[in-house]
Amino acid sequence: NQTRERRKMARRYDSSTTTFSPEGRLHQVEYAIEAINNAGTCVGLLCSNGLILASERKVTSKLLAPVKTSEKTYKISDECVLSVAGLSSDASILIQQARLGCQRYLYQYGEPQPVEQIVKQICDYKQSYTQYGGLRPFGCAFLFAGYDTFHGMQLYQTDPSGNYSGWQATVIGANNSAGKSFLKNEYNKEGEGIPDVDEGLKLAVKALNKTMDSAGNGEEKYELFVMREKEGGGVEHKTLSKEEVKVILDKVEEETKAAADA
């Protein structure tokens, strides 16, 4: 009976983003977060010599033409890249906003914008969409990977409420709790230290495998991106080709078989 009453109460308050329910919740914001929990998964890893963003590509139909650019990973500036989980149409507005902010900062101060400042700017914009009537929250979450001279390589996660947090390793999207619990056990295992990029790529693929519905996915289902520091300063970005992804998948399969036999 109490549950039925609660449901009625939720229905009364869930049409507005600006009205709190008696339990102190904003239902529309919670629903937006729920939409992300059904989206293609993204994994972010901070490595000893770089950053990794690994994403699941949702192949909806074999008849679709192959994509010319990435649908999951977007370049914001020379020092910052993000991965999207959720509605890509919503994300494109925020990506444009982030790019514009970066270029304005560069023009005004003559140096790249610090990574956390980019993230905070976007989160302030997201938060404003939860506070004014007639607006709805953005149905997307981001993993920001970036580099600045103040704090080096950094990884941040944002959500529709406008909250953000810094991470060493995290997962957003479908089945993210399974991916997070895997990383909790395997990342910096027994104090071995943060993995390098080569080890990190295998770890990211294993984490994605934990979140995917079916085992034995082909290389077209994975998108792997690496950011590394360049020797002369600055960073280089690289999205791995299908052939390179296949090599990593084969290594992961070998390791999984060896662990099963042991």
Side-chain angles (χ1 to χ4, degrees), residues 17-209:
T17 48
T18 55
T19 311
F20 283 98
S21 74
E23 295 98 44
R25 291 159 67 180
L26 291 168
H27 290 286
Q28 283 299 313
V29 178
E30 288 180 23
Y31 297 157
I33 291 167
E34 201 52 49
I36 290 150
N37 291 340
N38 300 320
T41 315
C42 300
V43 176
L45 288 182
L46 199 58
C47 299
S48 57
N49 58 340
L51 270 164
I52 292 167
L53 292 176
S55 313
E56 177 195 353
R57 278 194 179 128
K58 291 272 189 189
V59 185
T60 49
S61 169
K62 287 180 182 176
L63 300 176
L64 282 170
V67 290
K68 293 161 191 72
T69 55
S70 166
E71 291 179 344
K72 295 293 281 181
T73 312
Y74 296 85
K75 183 179 174 180
I76 300 301
S77 69
D78 288 341
E79 291 77 21
C80 186
V81 172
L82 60 79
S83 263
V84 178
L87 303 174
S88 49
S89 49
D90 280 16
S92 61
I93 295 171
L94 296 169
I95 290 163
Q96 198 56 35
Q97 191 84 1
R99 285 171 175 165
L100 191 62
C102 278
Q103 295 312 307
R104 280 180 177 156
Y105 187 97
L106 185 63
Y107 180 75
Q108 193 168 355
Y109 300 105
E111 63 179 33
Q113 191 173 15
V115 182
E116 190 169 353
Q117 217 174 86
I118 302 169
V119 176
K120 189 178 183 301
Q121 236 170 31
I122 291 303
C123 284
D124 287 349
Y125 191 68
K126 277 189 182 189
Q127 191 278 333
S128 69
Y129 272 68
T130 69
Q131 204 158 8
Y132 302 110
L135 303 174
R136 69 162 176 80
F138 288 95
C140 56
F142 294 139
L143 283 183
F144 278 89
Y147 170 85
D148 60 45
T149 50
F150 304 102
H151 302 292
M153 294 285 183
Q154 295 153 75
L155 178 68
Y156 294 95
Q157 176 186 331
T158 76
D159 70 33
S161 65
N163 284 327
Y164 73 91
S165 46
W167 294 78
Q168 287 187 309
T170 189
V171 185
I172 57 172
N175 299 328
N176 62 70
S177 51
K180 276 179 183 167
S181 54
F182 170 78
L183 288 175
K184 211 178 278 183
N185 295 329
E186 297 298 323
Y187 183 84
N188 195 3
K189 195 177 182 181
E190 293 162 9
E192 288 171 1
I194 294 172
D196 62 11
V197 166
D198 296 331
E199 284 301 309
L201 282 166
K202 289 189 278 186
L203 195 61
V205 166
K206 285 175 187 173
L208 272 183
N209 286 344

Side-chain angles (χ1 to χ4, degrees), residues 1-15:
N1 212 22
Q2 269 184 329
T3 315
R4 204 175 297 153
E5 280 299 310
R6 274 202 195 115
R7 277 189 195 143
K8 267 188 198 169
M9 194 75 83
R11 269 190 227 115
R12 205 180 303 163
Y13 290 93
D14 70 359
S15 60

